[in-house]
Amino acid sequence: QEKEHFDYFEDEHLQALKLPYLDPSTYALILLPKKNSTLAELINETSFATLNSVGRNLTKRSGKLFLPRFAVS
């Protein structure tokens, strides 16, 4: 597989990836806690200000992305 370019952000608490869907204006912003944090801490500490900050600080990074299959119902 080839590497792709993604908008990415990382700080001491979280990693974030902007995953485009169909067109540039529609995307998923995926947040994952760093190893020193838990998912519960990430959820409790994430605010609109956090999301805005992540969005403003995304930078292009190249890499391979592997996501598990899942369904939303």
Side-chain angles (χ1 to χ4, degrees):
Q1 284 187 348
E2 289 187 31
K3 290 184 178 182
E4 296 188 41
H5 290 87
F6 298 99
D7 291 328
Y8 178 82
F9 172 80
E10 181 175 353
D11 68 11
E12 63 274 4
H13 302 289
L14 64 89
Q15 293 175 289
L17 176 77
K18 183 178 175 181
L19 189 59
Y21 182 78
L22 297 180
D23 66 69
S25 65
T26 307
Y27 59 88
L29 185 61
I30 300 171
L31 303 178
L32 294 173
K34 295 287 286 269
K35 289 187 180 197
N36 63 345
S37 297
T38 65
L39 182 58
E41 290 171 333
L42 178 62
I43 291 169
N44 289 333
E45 295 171 6
T46 300
S47 65
F48 286 114
T50 303
L51 295 175
N52 285 331
S53 177
V54 167
R56 284 191 310 273
N57 291 293
L58 291 166
T59 58
K60 290 282 185 208
R61 299 270 300 264
S62 66
K64 295 179 183 179
L65 177 64
F66 299 94
L67 293 174
R69 286 185 178 259
F70 64 92
V72 177
S73 57

